[in-house]
Amino acid sequence: MVNRVLKHFGLDAVSVSEVEDSNSSTVVKCALGNGENVFVKIPFSKLKYQRELEAYELLKGRVAIPNMLDCWDGDEACTGAFLLSELKGKPLTFEAPPTVAYQVGVLHASIHSVQPPALHKLIGIDNEFASWSNFVERQFYSFAEDVKDVVDVCLYNQAMAHFEKMKQQLPSPDGPSLIHMDFRPANIIVDANKVLGTIDFESVRFGSTEIDFTKLYRDFLSLDITLFQAYQEGYNSIRPLIDLDVVLPFYRFTDAFNSIGWCKRRGLEKNAVFLERNLVILEKLLK
């Protein structure tokens, strides 16, 4: 399929290499004869293609993202594809200084400042804000069908009871805002001490910002209090940050639980490391 997409875009690549840490879509880096690199992305589904297409339109000129050089709606055999420019940096790591964490906060808040467009209806990006509680429940109970086949029955029952108790403690939703839904270091590109932008918008929605901090906290902010503080300062420079101490316990729990269900759907053996990581998190949070 990759070769077919490359041919469609008329790319004469010197080399093609698969991008690591792309858990859902197929993403390849293409080195061109002129020394430039471009990326080709084939989303996991038609819906994810449509979401990402609309996200690029919404974010262009408002948030730092790659340039969309071309796109293809695909056909019965292909979900669609994007040809994207390169953000010439590397994914964010916990070794970044507080100045970078500040910029990550600015970037995240800039995404959350995007509201549903008033003049045209979106096809792929749903607005879940008006029924936010129902959206969170729907996601949780959908993945629960998969989780119950993976975890011990006692742990499963404990998780179900924990969810029902904790959801009552959530504050009023913050939004409607565009939420990335996978805002983690692998999707944040940095060069030296400068944040260049963010990638991967196939899971975006409009909803409450409260769900969008968990993965960044898990993989970056929780590792160093100075990074966490700098991030909060950067975020607050754009828009007020909600009280993360109130929402993070709930969403850290649901993220670990839902991720176990995701591993069941996408293949337990293929995602064994990610599965084990989330099992450890879930058991720790339920103690």
Side-chain angles (χ1 to χ4, degrees):
M1 183 57 67
V2 171
N3 288 335
R4 185 164 173 242
V5 171
L6 295 180
K7 184 177 180 181
H8 175 86
F9 286 137
L11 291 179
D12 185 16
V14 175
S15 66
V16 177
S17 56
E18 191 170 347
V19 174
E20 295 182 5
D21 210 1
S22 179
N23 296 324
S24 184
S25 302
T26 299
V27 184
V28 295
K29 180 179 181 179
C30 304
L32 305 181
N34 61 3
E36 293 293 313
N37 296 317
V38 293
F39 288 84
V40 168
K41 178 172 185 176
I42 306 172
F44 182 76
S45 66
K46 291 280 189 182
L47 175 58
K48 288 181 179 291
Y49 169 83
Q50 186 64 34
R51 278 193 197 134
E52 188 133 19
L53 180 65
E54 292 174 350
Y56 269 95
E57 294 170 351
L58 286 170
L59 294 173
K60 185 177 180 180
R62 305 172 73 175
V63 175
I65 58 175
N67 293 321
M68 184 187 294
L69 305 174
D70 202 352
C71 63
W72 176 40
D73 289 342
D75 53 28
E76 291 183 359
C78 180
T79 59
F82 299 105
L83 179 62
L84 305 170
S85 68
E86 180 184 26
L87 294 178
K88 297 183 178 180
K90 296 181 179 180
L92 176 70
T93 72
F94 68 90
E95 297 173 344
T99 52
V100 166
Y102 181 96
Q103 294 172 59
V104 172
V106 170
L107 175 65
H108 207 183
S110 298
I111 296 172
H112 291 167
S113 297
V114 177
Q115 298 184 328
L119 300 180
H120 68 277
K121 180 177 175 60
L122 299 173
I123 300 172
I125 301 178
D126 292 329
N127 187 347
E128 306 284 0
F129 185 75
S131 55
W132 182 248
S133 178
N134 289 337
F135 168 72
V136 173
E137 287 190 25
R138 192 167 68 248
Q139 271 206 322
F140 182 85
Y141 281 105
S142 173
F143 280 116
E145 293 300 310
D146 301 283
V147 174
K148 70 180 179 182
D149 295 330
V150 179
V151 304
D152 176 84
V153 64
C154 292
L155 183 67
Y156 176 81
N157 290 336
Q158 188 181 0
M160 302 302 284
H162 192 67
F163 175 81
E164 289 298 329
K165 178 181 179 181
M166 289 197 71
K167 74 177 184 179
Q168 306 296 333
Q169 302 169 11
L170 291 176
S172 299
D174 173 48
S177 294
L178 186 68
I179 46 179
H180 189 285
M181 296 292 288
D182 198 19
F183 197 73
R184 57 192 175 95
N187 289 329
I188 302 166
I189 307 303
V190 178
D191 180 31
N193 290 330
K194 183 178 181 180
V195 173
L196 301 182
T198 185
I199 58 174
D200 192 2
F201 309 104
E202 62 183 38
S203 298
V204 297
R205 291 167 174 81
F206 286 101
S208 176
T209 65
E210 64 195 55
I211 200 173
D212 218 26
F213 303 96
T214 307
K215 294 179 181 179
L216 184 67
Y217 180 82
R218 179 193 66 197
D219 297 340
F220 181 67
L221 299 177
S222 64
L223 305 178
D224 188 331
I225 187 61
T226 59
L227 296 178
F228 196 10
Q229 292 171 342
Y231 166 85
Q232 293 178 78
E233 291 174 7
Y235 191 101
N236 279 315
S237 72
I238 302 298
R239 69 187 302 272
L241 180 64
I242 61 174
D243 188 347
L244 295 182
D245 289 337
V246 174
V247 299
L248 273 174
F250 176 79
Y251 285 104
R252 288 180 65 207
F253 157 69
T254 56
D255 178 67
F257 184 90
N258 293 350
S259 294
I260 293 169
W262 182 91
C263 290
K264 173 65 163 56
R265 292 181 183 181
R266 297 297 177 88
L268 294 177
E269 185 175 345
K270 178 182 177 182
N271 298 287
V273 174
F274 188 55
L275 171 65
E276 182 60 29
R277 183 183 183 191
N278 282 286
L279 280 170
V280 170
I281 293 173
L282 182 65
E283 290 171 354
K284 183 177 180 180
L285 291 174
L286 289 176
K287 280 185 178 180

